[in-house]
Short mmCIF file of all heavy atoms in Angstrom, two decimals:
data_model
loop_
_atom_site.label_atom_id
_atom_site.label_comp_id
_atom_site.label_asym_id
_atom_site.label_seq_id
_atom_site.Cartn_x
_atom_site.Cartn_y
_atom_site.Cartn_z
N THR B 1080 -79.73 -166.50 -26.85
CA THR B 1080 -80.51 -165.39 -26.29
C THR B 1080 -79.61 -164.50 -25.44
O THR B 1080 -79.78 -163.29 -25.42
CB THR B 1080 -81.70 -165.89 -25.45
OG1 THR B 1080 -81.22 -166.85 -24.54
CG2 THR B 1080 -82.79 -166.47 -26.33
N THR B 1081 -78.63 -165.10 -24.76
CA THR B 1081 -77.72 -164.29 -23.94
C THR B 1081 -76.94 -163.33 -24.84
O THR B 1081 -76.83 -162.13 -24.55
CB THR B 1081 -76.72 -165.18 -23.18
OG1 THR B 1081 -77.46 -166.18 -22.53
CG2 THR B 1081 -75.94 -164.39 -22.16
N ALA B 1082 -76.43 -163.86 -25.95
CA ALA B 1082 -75.66 -163.02 -26.88
C ALA B 1082 -76.55 -161.91 -27.44
O ALA B 1082 -76.13 -160.76 -27.56
CB ALA B 1082 -75.11 -163.88 -28.01
N LEU B 1083 -77.79 -162.28 -27.73
CA LEU B 1083 -78.72 -161.31 -28.29
C LEU B 1083 -79.02 -160.20 -27.28
O LEU B 1083 -79.01 -159.02 -27.61
CB LEU B 1083 -80.02 -162.03 -28.68
CG LEU B 1083 -81.02 -161.24 -29.47
CD1 LEU B 1083 -80.41 -160.81 -30.79
CD2 LEU B 1083 -82.27 -162.08 -29.70
N ARG B 1084 -79.25 -160.63 -26.03
CA ARG B 1084 -79.54 -159.62 -25.00
C ARG B 1084 -78.35 -158.71 -24.78
O ARG B 1084 -78.50 -157.51 -24.60
CB ARG B 1084 -79.91 -160.31 -23.68
CG ARG B 1084 -81.41 -160.37 -23.55
CD ARG B 1084 -81.80 -160.74 -22.14
NE ARG B 1084 -82.77 -161.81 -22.23
CZ ARG B 1084 -82.62 -163.00 -21.71
NH1 ARG B 1084 -81.56 -163.29 -21.00
NH2 ARG B 1084 -83.53 -163.91 -21.86
N ARG B 1085 -77.16 -159.30 -24.83
CA ARG B 1085 -75.96 -158.49 -24.65
C ARG B 1085 -75.85 -157.46 -25.79
O ARG B 1085 -75.55 -156.30 -25.56
CB ARG B 1085 -74.72 -159.36 -24.59
CG ARG B 1085 -73.55 -158.60 -23.99
CD ARG B 1085 -72.24 -159.36 -24.10
NE ARG B 1085 -72.32 -160.70 -23.57
CZ ARG B 1085 -71.85 -161.78 -24.20
NH1 ARG B 1085 -71.28 -161.67 -25.36
NH2 ARG B 1085 -71.95 -162.97 -23.65
N ALA B 1086 -76.12 -157.91 -27.01
CA ALA B 1086 -76.05 -157.00 -28.16
C ALA B 1086 -77.07 -155.88 -28.01
O ALA B 1086 -76.77 -154.72 -28.29
CB ALA B 1086 -76.29 -157.77 -29.45
N GLU B 1087 -78.27 -156.23 -27.52
CA GLU B 1087 -79.29 -155.21 -27.35
C GLU B 1087 -78.90 -154.20 -26.27
O GLU B 1087 -79.10 -153.01 -26.41
CB GLU B 1087 -80.63 -155.85 -26.97
CG GLU B 1087 -81.43 -156.23 -28.20
CD GLU B 1087 -82.55 -157.20 -27.89
OE1 GLU B 1087 -82.81 -157.48 -26.70
OE2 GLU B 1087 -83.15 -157.68 -28.86
N ARG B 1088 -78.32 -154.74 -25.19
CA ARG B 1088 -77.91 -153.85 -24.09
C ARG B 1088 -76.79 -152.92 -24.58
O ARG B 1088 -76.78 -151.73 -24.29
CB ARG B 1088 -77.44 -154.67 -22.90
CG ARG B 1088 -77.53 -153.87 -21.61
CD ARG B 1088 -77.22 -154.67 -20.37
NE ARG B 1088 -76.02 -155.45 -20.51
CZ ARG B 1088 -75.96 -156.77 -20.32
NH1 ARG B 1088 -77.03 -157.44 -20.00
NH2 ARG B 1088 -74.81 -157.41 -20.45
N MET B 1089 -75.86 -153.47 -25.39
CA MET B 1089 -74.77 -152.64 -25.89
C MET B 1089 -75.30 -151.53 -26.79
O MET B 1089 -74.81 -150.41 -26.75
CB MET B 1089 -73.76 -153.50 -26.65
CG MET B 1089 -72.75 -154.15 -25.72
SD MET B 1089 -71.70 -155.33 -26.55
CE MET B 1089 -70.74 -154.24 -27.59
N ARG B 1090 -76.30 -151.87 -27.60
CA ARG B 1090 -76.88 -150.86 -28.49
C ARG B 1090 -77.55 -149.75 -27.67
O ARG B 1090 -77.39 -148.57 -27.95
CB ARG B 1090 -77.88 -151.52 -29.43
CG ARG B 1090 -78.01 -150.81 -30.76
CD ARG B 1090 -78.75 -151.67 -31.75
NE ARG B 1090 -78.11 -152.95 -31.96
CZ ARG B 1090 -78.76 -154.11 -32.15
NH1 ARG B 1090 -80.07 -154.14 -32.16
NH2 ARG B 1090 -78.10 -155.22 -32.33
N ALA B 1091 -78.29 -150.17 -26.64
CA ALA B 1091 -78.98 -149.18 -25.79
C ALA B 1091 -77.95 -148.31 -25.07
O ALA B 1091 -78.09 -147.08 -25.00
CB ALA B 1091 -79.88 -149.89 -24.79
#
Side-chain angles (χ1 to χ4, degrees):
T1080 50
T1081 310
L1083 189 61
R1084 262 193 229 121
R1085 198 189 307 133
E1087 272 164 9
R1088 202 173 48 235
M1089 275 172 69
R1090 209 167 302 143

